[in-house]
């Protein structure tokens, strides 16, 4: 029995079982690797603008303490539950060790719809959430970051609330905060930039030229929009499909990205831009393109649509977009579709978060060129390790990436003993 349930946790557990079988990890060692070290659940009472009091549920899950503090994003979403948060914390662990960061994975969030909250209400939820988490987090214990539904402003409120408690500014408590309060240059764009960098490497692997390639991107938030912009502006990729929770567009001749970015900046959503190129949201993932980037929700590529994916490269910007059942289909299509698995593909975000934390601890700030150079170096190292292992063991890129992550956590646990 455990408190972790729901489809997303079941998916993380099933993925772990597959890797553990592959690595021949004895049954008795598995639970300690899979189950989170800690989970904190809090109630967050706030005054709504109409005078009502409302209580939201908040969570923070810290997966393991073996290699350093825990690190992970904060998700504000209406149907958030602790199993989903735990799954995201587990994936974060494999991701951090894959790219060589001295962290365990964490994740947190509040079950609320940030789109329904006024700015004042959002600030109240954010501050109260951090207030409740103060005993459990710290710059050397657990460092928060943004995820779906949160942004730089929320991180600034988190930092301020923690700092008021400490009596001095503690900017290393969160990453992904504005540069003006100790954030790093390059963090906002980092995840999308990393996705685009790895797409560049995958294009080389499948012998396609960026200037002749097309891309479809699901999700137009932080990850999706910066991936689209980097692909189009820096690499000359033609963006043919875009979608968010309100609309999806597809035009094989290419979408006018700059006009759509302007529309999204004005309206906050993609809906209302055009009727002509509109398609049903669920059809976007199956459109013909060279590069498909799911950059919104988990579990959108299933055994139902995986056989119909019509791309050459699947670059997983989102966390957990592909179910294990879909993965079996993709494994059979390995020659047709090159998968850049999530824990590698979107790791640019946590890599630059790590750089932000290091800069905050040292109070010594880097230039954007330094940030981007170091980002590319870590991505390249991880990419090569994954490619080498996948080829040497004849396994999928996902299996190779996850196996590296799990092995490193396991090695740390073996050296340290039972405690962490
Ligand atoms: P965000 O809140 O900035 O944007 C989310 C986007 O997804 C929005 O455009 C939203 O409209 C869209 N979306 C929501 N529901 C949808 C639906 N049903 N169909 C289509 N689109 C939908 O979030 P983000 O930070 O860009 O995160 C997106 C994904 O990337 C998440 O899985 C997150 O965990 C992962 N991720 C984010 C970062 C980061 O640095 N922000 C780093 C690594 C991984």
């Amino acid at each position: 029995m455990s408190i972790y349930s729901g489809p997303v946790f079941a998916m993380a557990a099933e993925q772990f079982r597959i890797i553990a079988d592959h690595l021949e990890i004895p049954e008795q060692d598995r639970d300690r690797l899979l189950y989170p070290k800690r989970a904190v659940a809090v109630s967050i009472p706030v005054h709504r603008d109409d005078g009502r009091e409302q209580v939201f549920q908040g969570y923070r899950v810290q997966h393991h303490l073996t290699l350093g503090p825990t690190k992970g994003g904060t998700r504000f979403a209406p149907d958030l539950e602790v199993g989903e948060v735990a799954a995201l914390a587990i994936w974060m662990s494999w991701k951090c060790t894959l790219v060589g960061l001295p962290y365990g994975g964490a994740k947190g969030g509040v079950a609320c719809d940030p789109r329904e909250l006024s700015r004042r209400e959002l600030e109240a939820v954010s501050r109260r959430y951090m207030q409740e988490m103060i005993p459990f987090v710290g710059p050397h214990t657990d460092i928060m970051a943004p995820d779906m539904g949160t942004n730089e402003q929320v991180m600034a409120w988190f930092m301020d609330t923690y700092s008021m408690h400490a009596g001095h500014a503690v900017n290393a408590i969160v990453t992904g905060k504005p540069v003006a309060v100790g954030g790093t240059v390059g963090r906002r764009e980092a995840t999308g930039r990393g996705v685009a960098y790895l797409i560049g490497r995958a294009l080389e692997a499948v012998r396609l030229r960026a200037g002749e390639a097309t891309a479809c991107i699901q999700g137009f938030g932080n990850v999706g929009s910066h991936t689209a912009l980097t692909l189009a502006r820096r690499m000359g990729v033609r963006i043919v499909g875009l979608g968010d929770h309100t609309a999806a567009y597809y035009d094989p001749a290419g979408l006018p990205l700059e006009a759509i970015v302007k529309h999204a900046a004005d309206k906050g959503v993609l809906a209302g831009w055009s009727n002509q190129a509109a398609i049903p949201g669920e059809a976007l993932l199956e459109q013909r393109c060279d590069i498909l980037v799911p950059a919104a929700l988990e579990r959108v590529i299933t055994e139902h649509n995986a056989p119909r994916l019509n791309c050459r490269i699947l670059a997983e910007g989102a966390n957990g977009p592909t179910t294990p059942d879909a993965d079996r289909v993709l494994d059979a299509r390995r020659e047709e579709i090159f998968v850049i698995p999530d824990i590698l593909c979107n790791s640019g975000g946590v890599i630059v978060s790590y750089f932000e934390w290091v800069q905050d601890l040292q109070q010594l700030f880097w230039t954007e060129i330094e940030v981007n150079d170091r980002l590319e170096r870590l991505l390249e190292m991880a990419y090569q390790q994954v490619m080498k292992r996948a080829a040497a063991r004849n396994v999928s890129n996902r299996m190779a990436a996850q196996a590296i992550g799990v092995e490193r956590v396991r090695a740390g646990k073996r050296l340290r003993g039972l405690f962490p």
Side-chain angles (χ1 to χ4, degrees):
M1 264 306 269
S2 94
I3 60 167
Y4 308 109
S5 59
V8 190
F9 186 78
M11 174 174 152
E14 165 73 354
Q15 272 184 351
F16 175 72
R17 188 189 59 70
I18 295 167
I19 314 160
D21 285 348
H22 168 67
L23 294 175
E24 298 179 351
I25 298 175
E27 283 295 336
Q28 62 164 13
D29 292 353
R30 294 188 181 193
D31 281 0
R32 204 155 70 87
L33 277 164
L34 176 67
Y35 284 100
K37 186 76 183 168
R38 293 185 190 132
V40 181
V42 295
S43 293
I44 302 169
V46 297
H47 290 294
R48 300 296 301 260
D49 289 345
D50 61 10
R52 275 181 306 138
E53 265 178 25
Q54 189 173 350
V55 178
F56 296 97
Q57 295 305 311
Y59 308 99
R60 185 81 185 160
V61 175
Q62 299 166 348
H63 181 224
H64 74 83
L65 313 177
T66 309
L67 303 173
T70 47
K71 177 93 194 70
T74 315
R75 179 171 285 194
F76 284 4
D79 44 9
L80 190 79
E81 34 98 26
V82 71
E84 175 183 342
V85 178
L88 290 161
I90 291 166
W91 290 329
M92 193 69 184
S93 285
W94 316 146
K95 186 188 307 183
C96 288
T97 44
L98 171 64
V99 294
L101 308 183
Y103 292 136
K107 208 77 179 193
V110 179
C112 69
D113 185 349
R115 291 188 282 257
E116 277 185 358
L117 299 174
S118 68
R119 186 181 159 89
R120 192 204 62 79
E121 291 169 334
L122 182 64
E123 177 171 357
V125 170
S126 305
R127 286 187 179 278
R128 187 62 191 252
Y129 173 73
M130 175 49 101
Q131 179 73 44
E132 296 296 335
M133 288 297 165
I134 285 174
F136 309 103
V137 299
H140 297 285
T141 315
D142 183 13
I143 303 117
M144 294 186 183
D147 190 73
M148 279 214 309
T150 59
N151 55 25
E152 289 182 14
Q153 176 61 73
V154 172
M155 295 307 111
W157 289 324
F158 282 178
M159 179 212 148
D160 184 62
T161 305
Y162 189 89
S163 298
M164 285 196 300
H165 172 81
H168 56 93
V170 186
N171 44 24
I173 182 62
V174 293
T175 61
K177 58 193 170 294
V179 173
V181 290
T184 182
V185 287
R187 172 62 185 91
R188 188 183 300 161
E189 305 83 3
T191 309
R193 211 172 248 164
V195 172
Y197 177 83
L198 293 164
I199 288 172
R201 299 296 277 115
L203 284 167
E204 286 167 25
V206 302
R207 296 172 199 282
L208 272 177
R209 267 205 280 271
E212 291 162 11
T214 57
C216 267
I217 300 169
Q218 181 192 53
F220 207 63
N222 177 288
V223 181
S225 65
H226 288 293
T227 300
L229 286 169
T230 314
L231 286 177
R233 286 182 186 164
R234 296 213 181 161
M235 295 162 61
V237 172
R238 183 155 37 104
I239 308 298
V240 292
L242 285 175
D244 72 357
H245 68 287
T246 63
Y249 304 108
Y250 179 77
D251 181 349
L255 294 167
L257 182 62
E258 305 295 337
I260 296 177
V261 166
K262 189 172 176 312
H263 171 85
D266 288 347
K267 309 283 182 210
V269 291
L270 292 179
W273 171 69
S274 154
N275 288 330
Q276 280 186 347
I279 57 165
E282 60 282 5
L284 182 67
L285 297 173
E286 296 174 24
Q287 299 304 309
R288 168 84 201 99
C289 60
D290 297 310
I291 306 155
L292 178 63
V293 187
L297 303 173
E298 53 273 352
R299 296 168 56 245
V300 291
I301 298 173
T302 64
E303 74 268 35
H304 304 298
N305 60 8
R308 295 196 297 269
L309 296 191
N310 204 349
C311 61
R312 187 72 187 86
I313 294 168
L314 174 63
E316 296 181 341
N319 285 309
T322 304
T323 66
D325 286 339
D327 225 21
R328 280 184 270 278
V329 178
L330 292 179
D331 212 18
R333 299 185 68 190
R334 229 192 274 168
E335 297 304 314
E336 293 166 73
I337 299 181
F338 184 104
V339 176
I340 314 173
D342 54 356
I343 62 169
L344 174 64
C345 193
N346 66 37
S347 63
V350 71
I351 290 174
V352 176
S353 273
Y354 165 68
F355 296 161
E356 181 175 338
W357 178 71
V358 167
Q359 292 171 73
D360 288 339
L361 291 178
Q362 301 187 339
Q363 293 295 303
L364 179 66
F365 290 87
W366 309 348
T367 63
E368 191 157 358
I369 292 175
E370 278 175 283
V371 169
N372 291 339
D373 278 358
R374 286 176 189 256
L375 168 64
E376 289 189 2
R377 257 186 277 154
L378 288 194
L379 287 173
E380 182 60 32
M381 208 156 55
Y383 175 79
Q384 287 190 17
Q385 286 169 356
V386 171
M387 290 306 113
K388 200 166 146 201
R389 185 171 183 129
R393 315 246 173 141
N394 190 24
V395 293
S396 68
N397 293 344
R398 184 184 320 284
M399 176 71 90
Q402 290 180 338
I404 295 170
V406 171
E407 260 179 0
R408 290 181 180 164
V409 176
R410 188 167 177 234
K413 284 194 184 290
R414 243 201 251 115
L415 288 165
R416 285 194 57 181
L418 262 188
F419 169 72

